[in-house]
Amino acid sequence: MIIEHCLVCFSELMPQMGWTALFSKEESNFMCTECYTKFEKIEGVTCQTCDRPLARVEPQYIVDNRCLDCIRWEADDQWAGTLERNYSLIQYNDFAQEVIAQYKYRGDYMLAYIFAPLIKQKLRSIPFDTIVPIPLSEKRLYERGFNQSEALIAASGYQPNNLLTRTHSEKQSKKSRTERIHLRQVFQTKINIPNKKILLIDDIYTTGSTIRHAAKVLKDAGAGSIASLTIARG
Ligand SMILES: [Zn+2]
Ligand SMILES: [Zn+2]
């Protein structure tokens, strides 16, 4: 696929100057260097569970290279061991927020391709047997036209394994932490996948609640371990 203009700002792409050229020579370019530099890659020491850069966490909220949020999840018997590890690619800064909104709310499906090179590169270092997208409800899927997580997997050249379905609405972000943790399960699976290493894909990791609810359903269905890869870390 040859794209001549940056999918975000529409400026003309110079051959081999797009951001993907910085990662992999064999990739096509979908985004200009200027846009690329507005993304802040996740780097340095990060929480060993959720990938939050620890430089952004107050020292009193860090224990053994883990952030207090993750420690609290692990201290809860219901949730301990559910999510092995989250990996994120970039910070959820203003630019990332804008691009992700353009992608999932304004239906710009092609933007999946600007993340694909980063996803592919990251997947080389994550062990997994199968990749599972976080599902949308049927209503959301109808409104948006595509599932952004599934599109990210497909754009990266992998086969999405739709093991999960939604049972409730997606409006989790407006609830308090306690409400989120004790919320009735929002996902279900009909498939038993004993001992498999599952990698969940979603666009943003904010509280970790969505990912953990999904992970719990799969774990309860016999999955061996569950990790997640999210584009942005909120
Ligand atoms: Zn651009
Ligand atoms: Zn953490």
Side-chain angles (χ1 to χ4, degrees):
M1 197 180 331
I2 303 296
I3 302 286
E4 290 177 344
H5 294 88
C6 170
L7 290 176
V8 176
C9 72
F10 308 109
S11 69
E12 200 171 339
L13 285 177
M14 308 301 274
Q16 296 306 312
M17 289 287 285
W19 81 310
T20 60
L22 298 168
F23 294 99
S24 156
K25 291 278 177 273
E26 77 265 24
E27 300 290 349
S28 308
N29 299 324
F30 297 101
M31 196 183 198
C32 72
T33 311
E34 200 174 322
C35 284
Y36 160 67
T37 56
K38 293 180 189 165
F39 280 144
E40 297 168 71
K41 281 190 82 180
I42 302 262
E43 46 198 8
V45 182
T46 62
C47 169
Q48 290 308 290
T49 303
C50 72
D51 226 7
R52 178 191 288 176
L54 291 179
R56 293 165 176 257
V57 182
E58 295 289 322
Q60 66 266 34
Y61 298 127
I62 302 171
V63 182
D64 294 337
N65 276 348
R66 285 189 167 77
C67 75
L68 194 61
D69 269 359
C70 290
I71 290 176
R72 286 164 72 189
W73 281 105
E74 287 304 311
D76 186 325
D77 286 347
Q78 196 192 345
W79 295 103
T82 302
L83 179 68
E84 195 164 277
R85 180 79 156 87
N86 172 66
Y87 303 88
S88 293
L89 301 172
I90 55 173
Q91 290 287 344
Y92 194 48
N93 64 12
D94 289 349
F95 182 69
Q97 193 171 353
E98 176 58 32
V99 174
I100 289 172
Q102 186 182 341
Y103 173 48
K104 72 177 192 181
Y105 298 118
R106 299 204 288 280
D108 200 342
Y109 183 94
M110 282 297 288
L111 288 179
Y113 288 94
I114 68 175
F115 298 115
L118 277 180
I119 293 173
K120 281 193 226 180
Q121 187 196 42
K122 193 74 183 179
L123 288 181
R124 287 186 204 128
S125 61
I126 303 176
F128 63 90
D129 296 316
T130 189
I131 309 190
V132 177
I134 294 290
L136 295 178
S137 66
E138 280 184 27
K139 184 169 175 282
R140 281 276 183 288
L141 188 58
Y142 179 76
E143 285 166 1
R144 291 190 195 160
F146 65 95
N147 175 341
Q148 72 272 9
S149 304
E150 202 175 322
L152 290 169
I153 298 169
S156 305
Y158 289 84
Q159 182 68 39
N161 189 351
N162 290 299
L163 294 179
L164 295 168
T165 50
R166 283 263 179 188
T167 58
H168 295 285
S169 78
E170 285 100 8
K171 291 271 182 227
Q172 288 210 36
S173 52
K174 292 199 173 67
K175 298 188 172 71
S176 72
R177 184 173 191 279
T178 313
E179 281 176 308
R180 279 194 309 270
I181 287 178
H182 298 289
L183 192 74
R184 277 188 302 158
Q185 184 49 262
V186 291
F187 301 108
Q188 60 187 15
T189 185
K190 290 197 178 74
I191 301 151
N192 202 337
I193 16 136
N195 306 319
K196 292 280 190 242
K197 284 192 178 70
I198 293 182
L199 183 66
L200 291 166
I201 301 278
D202 204 2
D203 49 0
I204 309 161
Y205 184 110
T206 309
T207 63
S209 176
T210 302
I211 292 285
R212 279 185 172 82
H213 275 83
K216 185 162 176 56
V217 167
L218 294 168
K219 192 93 185 193
D220 290 349
S225 64
I226 297 106
S228 58
L229 174 60
T230 43
I231 298 300
R233 183 65 181 81

